[in-house]
């Protein structure tokens, strides 16, 4: 919605059992269309927004890319991230049923992501333009950048010497005003989530390295572009 420049109203949902609007059913995210219809599933919503508002910035696919290339990158996620992780809403793909995943599990996931990004000129997943594939991957890669160094000392997904294409992707995403200024989570908060019981590690707070991702206010020109 932000990238496409569409007007919308944010409805905050209390996933801990608090009050919810009458029309809301199921899981977040959901959208309620102007005619009252509701729809869920992130990528289905993105695809529907492109169909509903074809004059706005396309994401599925963007100009110069094919629908198949976007779909391929979205589906490649499940083959790239650890398959032995337990489900978690705030610590996804971080823990097994016996504790944090191993360093090698994470390195394999980052290596696989690096190879996918190398399939196109970049810096985004299907080329020079932001696409639905980046929208799909961003929440998980964002968390990894903040949380992996908390679980394994020195494991930095943004390390350009180890994962140059991935580091380039992170840098490019940070230059997307709608993402960096409105959507991107706070690195400090993602780190603190790991110290809280109940978020993925069988209800136990894991031992962490003490790492905290620096959080800046962002470049003035980026905020001006967003405004």
């Amino acid at each position: 919605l932000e990238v496409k420049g569409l007007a919308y109203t944010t409805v905050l949902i209390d996933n801990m059992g608090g009050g919810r609007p009458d029309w809301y059913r199921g899981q977040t995210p959901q959208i309620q269309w102007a005619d009252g219809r509701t729809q869920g599933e992130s990528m289905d919503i993105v695809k529907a927004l492109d169909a509903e508002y074809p004059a706005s910035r396309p994401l599925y696919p963007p100009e110069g890319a094919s629908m198949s290339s976007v779909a391929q990158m979205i589906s490649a996620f499940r083959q790239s991230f650890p398959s032995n992780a337990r489900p978690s809403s705030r610590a996804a793909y971080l823990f097994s049923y016996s504790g944090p995943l191993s360093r090698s599990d994470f390195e394999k996931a980052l290596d696989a992501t690096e190879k996918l990004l190398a399939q196109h000129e970049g810096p985004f997943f299907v080329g020079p333009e932001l696409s639905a594939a980046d929208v799909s991957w961003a929440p998980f890669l964002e968390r990894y950048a903040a949380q992996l160094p908390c679980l394994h000392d020195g494991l930095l997904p943004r390390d350009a010497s180890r994962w140059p294409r991935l580091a380039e992707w992170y840098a490019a995403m940070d230059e997307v005003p709608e993402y960096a200024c409105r959507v991107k989570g706070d690195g400090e908060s993602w780190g603190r989530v790991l110290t809280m019981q109940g978020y993925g590690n069988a209800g136990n707070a894991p031992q962490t390295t003490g790492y905290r991702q620096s959080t800046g206010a962002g470049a003035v020109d980026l905020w001006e572009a967003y405004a």
Side-chain angles (χ1 to χ4, degrees):
L1 290 166
E2 288 282 339
V3 170
K4 293 176 75 63
L6 302 175
Y8 66 94
T9 299
T10 299
V11 179
L12 300 179
I13 300 296
D14 184 352
N15 281 327
M16 301 302 290
R20 301 180 177 188
D22 293 338
W23 57 264
Y24 176 82
R25 297 289 186 277
Q27 299 179 334
T28 55
Q30 287 198 29
I31 188 171
Q32 184 182 44
W33 299 96
D35 61 5
R37 290 178 296 121
T38 60
Q39 185 171 1
E41 296 296 336
S42 301
M43 291 300 100
D44 290 344
I45 292 173
V46 173
K47 187 180 292 186
L49 286 169
D50 267 2
E52 191 80 10
Y53 301 97
S56 64
R57 181 178 176 178
L59 294 172
Y60 210 132
E63 293 183 9
S66 66
M67 179 78 77
S68 61
S69 65
V70 175
Q72 177 190 6
M73 288 299 174
I74 292 174
S75 64
F77 174 83
R78 292 191 179 278
Q79 288 76 48
S80 303
F81 266 47
S83 59
N84 56 333
R86 62 179 293 150
S88 173
S89 61
R90 299 191 186 183
Y93 297 98
L94 291 176
F95 299 102
S96 68
Y97 285 88
S98 59
L101 295 173
S102 70
R103 188 186 191 99
S104 63
D105 284 328
F106 294 129
E107 289 175 338
K108 289 177 183 177
L110 296 174
D111 288 343
T113 306
E114 178 79 8
K115 290 180 180 179
L116 287 171
L117 286 165
Q119 292 182 18
H120 298 275
E121 292 185 6
F124 299 107
F125 270 93
V126 296
E129 298 295 331
L130 185 79
S131 77
D134 302 289
V135 174
S136 175
W137 281 75
F140 303 99
L141 290 176
E142 173 189 315
R143 297 177 201 178
Y144 263 25
Q147 293 176 326
L148 294 197
C150 297
L151 296 175
H152 296 284
D153 189 37
L155 181 55
L156 302 170
R158 299 186 70 139
D159 181 0
S161 65
R162 175 72 186 271
W163 298 289
R165 295 303 299 269
L166 182 54
E168 184 182 13
W169 179 87
Y170 278 119
M173 289 297 294
D174 284 342
E175 292 298 318
V176 177
E178 297 85 357
Y179 169 72
C181 299
R182 179 66 175 86
V183 178
K184 184 180 179 181
D186 177 83
E188 178 74 15
S189 298
W190 284 129
R192 289 183 178 179
V193 164
L194 294 179
T195 68
M196 301 168 63
Q197 294 182 341
Y199 289 129
N201 190 36
N204 301 310
Q207 183 177 354
T208 60
T209 64
Y211 172 89
R212 286 293 183 269
Q213 185 182 53
S214 60
T215 302
V220 174
D221 57 349
L222 193 66
W223 281 93
E224 289 178 346
Y226 173 66

